[in-house]
Amino acid sequence: MRRIIATAMSLVLFSMLFGQTSLNESPGGILSIKKGQEFRTIAQGYAHLEKNILITNETRFRMASVSKQFTAMAVYLLIQDEKLNFDTPIRNIFPELPVSCKKIQIQHLLNHTSGLVDYENVIPTSQKMQLSDADVLKLIQNLDTVYFEPGTQFQYSNTAYCLLSLVVERVSKQPFEDFCRTRIFHYLGMQDAQISASHGFERRAFGYHPKDSVFQFADQSITSATRGDGGVYISADDFGKWLGKKNPLLSARFFKDLETYKVPVKDEVYYSLGFFFTKSEDGNLTLFHSGESIGFHNIMLFQPQHDLIIALFTNRDDKYIVKVWEIAMKDENIIIPNIKESLFLWLNKVYNGDI
């Protein structure tokens, strides 16, 4: 009975919170909750306003930084294949990088302790075309400086994850998209998951930005074509196949390495292998991440010991996601140890360097 009531409440919330103007004029989102074999989703709003295409379980959303867990897994698989090590110097793979990068290792890219310059800060004002990950490498390869000694502090880095997609390509000798499709997506039965935006409208959410009383189309920016830091497009159905006890990629060894290579962020919150995480007093893990890009806001949480996943994907880049997420967390009686404010807003502070 409680689950039925919680689902009904969430439906009302979606109608209220994602109906800023009216349902016929609003993008929206999809909330999914999976516990063991039980999988519930609640969708509201339009994937494409102009074409009147509704959001469904099969609608693919741009994951933005939620993509990093997939990039990290691709690299981790190459480590399992013994083609890489956590301590492999990145200049072994990118000899074109300057001497200032000589101490940076694969683990520093994975856990945001590389000190690499943020590529967003060095994009030329004349840049009109969307950047690729290879463009990111070109932007930083002549900058003979880093923010700090690698491994000495945490600073969230999209640059690092753009390089990691190129690591996968150079080491595997496959396009990043092909490697992820074969080794992750299709291996787990995630048939619709993909890297980079599809060209058609089928099963794809398009991004919007609120302005005054309407939503403006806002699907892509100059940084929306990079892949390693934010390029995954995935549906709620496929994301439900990614996290959970049935995923053999999330093995006992994976969770051991998650602990081994973790770095502190703040107040006993850590980062490792594409996830933020913390622990309860009884040792239970809570993994989480959010994603923010033009037109899209997303957030996810995974508690492996309870086999619980909560994910909220939206194709609007306002803060309404905060209200829906917090009420969903309350309905499911989820408390994240060591974080005393809205999780989405806390993560936003991390990305902006305010934590």
Side-chain angles (χ1 to χ4, degrees), residues 122-351:
V122 293
I123 298 173
T125 56
S126 60
Q127 183 77 33
K128 303 299 180 185
M129 299 292 290
Q130 286 187 313
L131 293 167
S132 67
D133 293 11
D135 292 328
V136 171
L137 176 60
K138 290 176 183 177
L139 284 176
I140 68 162
Q141 70 184 32
N142 295 319
L143 300 175
D144 197 11
T145 185
V146 291
Y147 291 139
F148 49 81
E149 182 85 1
T152 61
Q153 67 183 79
F154 175 93
Q155 182 170 319
Y156 194 82
S157 175
N158 285 320
T159 302
Y161 270 75
C162 288
L163 293 193
L164 283 172
S165 75
L166 299 177
V167 167
V168 172
E169 293 192 332
R170 292 196 182 187
V171 173
S172 71
K173 297 180 172 52
Q174 296 180 62
F176 181 62
E177 291 90 337
D178 291 351
F179 186 92
C180 290
R181 183 184 307 114
T182 303
R183 296 292 300 274
I184 301 174
F185 300 151
H186 286 186
Y187 177 71
L188 297 174
M190 301 160 61
Q191 298 301 321
D192 289 330
Q194 64 185 67
I195 307 291
S196 303
S198 60
H199 297 296
F201 296 98
E202 186 180 6
R203 297 197 301 276
R204 152 97 149 86
F206 289 79
Y208 291 87
H209 177 75
K211 185 175 181 181
D212 299 325
S213 60
V214 298
F215 284 93
Q216 294 184 335
F217 189 81
D219 188 68
Q220 297 282 302
S221 71
I222 200 170
T223 60
S224 293
T226 54
R227 302 163 304 167
D229 63 338
V232 172
Y233 286 74
I234 198 169
S235 68
D237 275 354
D238 275 348
F239 196 76
K241 300 172 184 176
W242 161 238
L243 296 177
K245 290 183 177 179
K246 287 193 172 183
N247 180 354
L249 301 180
L250 300 177
S251 61
R253 183 175 178 182
F254 173 86
F255 285 107
K256 181 179 179 181
D257 287 333
L258 183 87
E259 291 273 9
T260 299
Y261 294 97
K262 69 183 180 184
V263 296
V265 179
K266 186 179 181 182
D267 297 335
E268 297 186 56
V269 177
Y270 302 92
Y271 198 95
S272 185
L273 296 176
F275 292 97
F276 294 90
F277 75 94
T278 187
K279 275 186 173 182
S280 62
E281 291 183 358
D282 57 2
N284 287 331
L285 288 169
T286 298
L287 286 68
F288 51 91
H289 217 296
S290 65
E292 302 180 43
S293 67
I294 187 170
F296 295 91
H297 280 170
N298 312 297
I299 189 166
M300 54 71 57
L301 174 148
F302 174 39
Q303 293 184 329
Q305 283 87 351
H306 300 299
D307 204 20
L308 173 68
I309 303 103
I310 304 178
L312 176 57
F313 306 152
T314 77
N315 63 330
R316 48 189 287 173
D317 58 10
D318 55 12
K319 292 296 191 294
Y320 271 55
I321 188 173
V322 175
K323 299 178 183 179
V324 177
W325 179 258
E326 291 306 311
I327 295 175
M329 294 282 283
K330 183 178 180 181
D331 284 348
E332 295 299 321
N333 197 28
I334 301 295
I335 298 173
I336 301 179
N338 307 315
I339 295 182
K340 308 303 181 184
E341 61 180 303
S342 162
L343 181 60
F344 188 88
L345 297 179
W346 186 90
L347 287 165
N348 177 266
K349 290 178 182 178
V350 173
Y351 306 146

Side-chain angles (χ1 to χ4, degrees), residues 16-169:
M16 291 173 59
L17 299 178
F18 284 140
Q20 180 172 306
T21 53
S22 68
L23 180 59
N24 293 331
E25 300 173 5
S26 298
I30 185 164
L31 173 67
S32 61
I33 302 171
K34 182 180 180 184
K35 188 168 186 178
Q37 297 300 312
E38 183 184 16
F39 184 48
R40 294 174 286 147
T41 61
I42 304 153
Q44 183 81 6
Y46 279 76
H48 197 292
L49 295 181
E50 293 76 11
K51 294 187 176 293
N52 294 322
I53 301 173
L54 286 166
I55 293 169
T56 72
N57 287 20
E58 297 179 341
T59 302
R60 290 169 292 194
F61 288 78
R62 174 176 166 79
M63 287 293 96
S65 284
V66 174
S67 303
K68 289 181 170 68
Q69 56 201 254
F70 297 100
T71 304
M73 178 56 74
V75 174
Y76 186 71
L77 289 171
L78 290 173
I79 293 172
Q80 299 305 297
D81 294 343
E82 299 184 350
K83 295 181 178 179
L84 273 179
N85 293 306
F86 283 103
D87 60 359
T88 298
I90 66 169
R91 289 186 80 221
N92 289 7
I93 301 164
F94 304 113
E96 62 267 46
L97 286 175
V99 175
S100 60
C101 297
K102 67 180 180 180
K103 293 183 179 180
I104 300 176
Q105 302 173 358
I106 292 296
Q107 63 180 307
H108 300 138
L109 299 183
L110 286 167
N111 62 26
H112 299 288
T113 58
S114 68
L116 286 169
V117 171
D118 294 327
Y119 77 86
E120 298 95 331
N121 294 339
V122 293
I123 298 173
T125 56
S126 60
Q127 183 77 33
K128 303 299 180 185
M129 299 292 290
Q130 286 187 313
L131 293 167
S132 67
D133 293 11
D135 292 328
V136 171
L137 176 60
K138 290 176 183 177
L139 284 176
I140 68 162
Q141 70 184 32
N142 295 319
L143 300 175
D144 197 11
T145 185
V146 291
Y147 291 139
F148 49 81
E149 182 85 1
T152 61
Q153 67 183 79
F154 175 93
Q155 182 170 319
Y156 194 82
S157 175
N158 285 320
T159 302
Y161 270 75
C162 288
L163 293 193
L164 283 172
S165 75
L166 299 177
V167 167
V168 172
E169 293 192 332

